[in-house]
Amino acid sequence: MPPSSSASPAKNPSAHRRERLDSPPPKKIKPMIEIMAAAKQAQLQEDRRLDAGKDYENLMCEQCGSGEKENEILLCDRCDKGFHMLCLSPIVVRVPIGLWFCPACAADHRRPLKVFSQKKIDDFFRIQKSTHLAVKCVSPQDIRRRRKHTLGYHKKRRKLLPFTPTEDPEQRLVQMGTLATALTALHMEFSNELTYAPSMARRHANQAKLENDGMQVLSKEDTETLEQCRSMCKSGLWPPLIVKFDSREGYTVEADAAIKDMTLIAEYTGDVDYIRNRQNDDCDSMMTLLLAADPSKSLVICPDKRGNIARFINGINNHTSVGRKKQNVKCVRYNVKGECRVLLVAIRDIGKGERLYYDYNGYEHEYPTHHFL
């Protein structure tokens, strides 16, 4: 018996296909990342709407009780209280980027460390695993023993020692992860050497011979130590340092293992620029590179876009005896093969867990440190 014209679509395959073609296509489900991004944007707009409804006319500084200079008052993103930038301890020299928490709220605020894989660490710090960069770690005792027989009349001269990397690769990953976290938080790129941008000073401007009254020349042995440390860093062997966030001092650097006196901690790196271009710059981490007899040729290092762990080593309050006792690192400028370089060197034995400090006023004695802890 032939099929009836009233046969159901389930029994008529061609009719079933026509029905599917005529029906509207199913709706696509948005990816979760798009949903979360839209929710975050909606929350941000809601926060702005609520902030617009708040009364900030009678805003007062919680520290001094004054409402003057309201353009210099920072609002805590947690408790909504106001503080003058100069009333904080330590003072805040420029408006922070992103969220800012007052000292009371920052004490409870824990910044979670990002978990970095070995590949991400290698990419972030541009570590080269080539066998040509394999460096044999030489102990300070071996170096002293070797130099004892070769220096002769230079026996009393103190020499730089290379840092001793942490043997545990997992702990080295943690150390480098803390630095990557701090650099990322400040929107900085890692750079372990001086950089010369087209809009700033060029490399030919960095001439140690221009230094007023001359510059100390780094000896051949110490230059070899500097190059050894740079090679170790390129191959993924780093000094035993860890970056931590403190509610009062911001990012700080601690020794993750014992460090011997005269150990080369790090070289101060970043973009090189003329001092004249930075007269009104509010960056609190500029470092003197060259003090030329002609002031127009003087140079500074500016680690606001690029830099390394030296950017996070804090300064001492050199107006108090307590502050001066905290110093365990010295900042020294050297003539290295005709160029000015800035090195941070341990001036005494540093124990594990001890924070690193140096004197910001190593040369000009003009940096205000009375507000430092």
Side-chain angles (χ1 to χ4, degrees), residues 99-153:
L99 297 178
W100 178 81
F101 300 95
C102 69
C105 293
D108 299 328
H109 182 60
R110 297 290 180 265
R111 296 193 178 191
L113 295 177
K114 294 182 179 179
V115 179
F116 292 89
S117 65
Q118 184 66 60
K119 183 180 184 306
K120 287 187 177 180
I121 286 293
D122 292 346
D123 293 342
F124 188 91
F125 293 105
R126 298 184 291 278
I127 293 174
Q128 304 173 20
K129 295 296 185 180
S130 172
T131 55
H132 298 291
L133 288 175
V135 180
K136 180 181 178 181
C137 297
V138 183
S139 67
Q141 292 80 7
D142 292 339
I143 292 177
R144 283 195 291 267
R145 192 180 302 112
R146 182 189 65 191
R147 289 177 176 175
K148 184 176 181 180
H149 299 285
T150 58
L151 293 180
Y153 63 92

Side-chain angles (χ1 to χ4, degrees), residues 80 111 127 222 230 263-264 266 341:
D80 217 28
R111 296 193 178 191
I127 293 174
D222 289 345
R230 289 170 60 86
T263 297
L264 177 59
R341 306 273 279 276

Side-chain angles (χ1 to χ4, degrees), residues 253-284:
V253 178
E254 292 184 3
D256 201 32
I259 298 176
K260 291 289 186 180
D261 180 20
M262 289 302 295
T263 297
L264 177 59
I265 301 295
E267 179 179 355
Y268 209 96
T269 63
D271 292 327
V272 178
D273 200 0
Y274 290 101
I275 289 182
R276 65 172 183 265
N277 296 339
R278 300 282 177 156
Q279 293 293 335
N280 300 318
D281 199 308
D282 58 357
C283 178
D284 61 346

Side-chain angles (χ1 to χ4, degrees), residues 44-323:
L44 180 61
Q45 293 177 357
E46 178 64 15
D47 292 343
R48 289 175 177 173
R49 185 186 67 80
L50 293 175
D51 286 341
K54 293 180 180 178
D55 181 16
Y56 292 117
E57 293 183 0
N58 299 321
L59 184 62
M60 309 288 282
C61 173
E62 297 292 324
Q63 194 69 27
C64 68
S66 171
E68 298 180 356
K69 298 181 180 179
E70 55 185 33
N71 60 323
E72 297 181 5
I73 296 180
L74 298 178
L75 292 179
C76 176
D77 285 295
R78 174 166 294 182
C79 67
D80 217 28
K81 294 180 180 179
F83 296 84
H84 280 119
M85 298 167 66
L86 296 179
C87 289
L88 294 164
S89 178
I91 65 173
V92 178
V93 296
R94 59 178 173 178
V95 177
I97 299 175
L99 297 178
W100 178 81
F101 300 95
C102 69
C105 293
D108 299 328
H109 182 60
R110 297 290 180 265
R111 296 193 178 191
L113 295 177
K114 294 182 179 179
V115 179
F116 292 89
S117 65
Q118 184 66 60
K119 183 180 184 306
K120 287 187 177 180
I121 286 293
D122 292 346
D123 293 342
F124 188 91
F125 293 105
R126 298 184 291 278
I127 293 174
Q128 304 173 20
K129 295 296 185 180
S130 172
T131 55
H132 298 291
L133 288 175
V135 180
K136 180 181 178 181
C137 297
V138 183
S139 67
Q141 292 80 7
D142 292 339
I143 292 177
R144 283 195 291 267
R145 192 180 302 112
R146 182 189 65 191
R147 289 177 176 175
K148 184 176 181 180
H149 299 285
T150 58
L151 293 180
Y153 63 92
H154 289 297
K155 286 182 180 179
K156 294 183 179 180
R157 190 175 181 183
R158 286 161 43 101
K159 299 295 182 180
L160 295 181
L161 301 177
F163 58 79
T164 303
T166 301
E167 294 183 1
D168 182 8
E170 293 297 327
Q171 187 59 25
R172 287 204 305 267
L173 192 66
V174 172
Q175 295 165 358
M176 298 167 70
T178 62
L179 175 57
T181 299
L183 290 171
T184 303
L186 296 185
H187 307 287
M188 291 176 57
E189 296 179 8
F190 170 76
S191 175
N192 214 25
E193 56 189 39
L194 298 176
T195 52
Y196 301 88
S199 59
M200 301 183 193
R202 297 299 182 93
R203 184 163 187 169
H204 63 76
N206 183 5
Q207 301 183 46
K209 64 182 181 181
L210 300 177
E211 174 73 13
N212 190 22
D213 297 329
M215 180 176 290
Q216 181 178 356
V217 179
L218 193 66
S219 66
K220 180 180 178 181
E221 294 84 359
D222 289 345
T223 301
E224 292 175 355
T225 299
L226 174 61
E227 293 303 321
Q228 178 185 349
C229 291
R230 289 170 60 86
S231 297
M232 284 195 290
C233 289
K234 288 180 180 179
S235 62
L237 300 176
W238 285 63
L241 303 173
I242 194 164
V243 183
K244 291 188 176 181
F245 182 78
D246 182 89
S247 60
R248 300 185 66 190
E249 295 187 86
Y251 285 106
T252 62
V253 178
E254 292 184 3
D256 201 32
I259 298 176
K260 291 289 186 180
D261 180 20
M262 289 302 295
T263 297
L264 177 59
I265 301 295
E267 179 179 355
Y268 209 96
T269 63
D271 292 327
V272 178
D273 200 0
Y274 290 101
I275 289 182
R276 65 172 183 265
N277 296 339
R278 300 282 177 156
Q279 293 293 335
N280 300 318
D281 199 308
D282 58 357
C283 178
D284 61 346
S285 300
M286 288 190 295
M287 171 63 67
T288 301
L289 179 64
L290 170 64
L291 288 175
D294 181 357
S296 65
K297 297 181 179 181
S298 296
L299 303 174
V300 290
I301 304 173
C302 310
D304 46 2
K305 295 181 180 179
R306 283 168 283 271
N308 60 4
I309 199 166
R311 163 70 173 80
F312 302 105
I313 300 179
N314 287 359
I316 63 168
N317 184 338
N318 55 16
H319 296 278
T320 65
S321 58
V322 176

Side-chain angles (χ1 to χ4, degrees), residues 33-47:
I33 189 172
E34 293 185 14
I35 297 175
M36 296 303 295
K40 184 176 181 181
Q41 183 66 24
Q43 182 63 41
L44 180 61
Q45 293 177 357
E46 178 64 15
D47 292 343

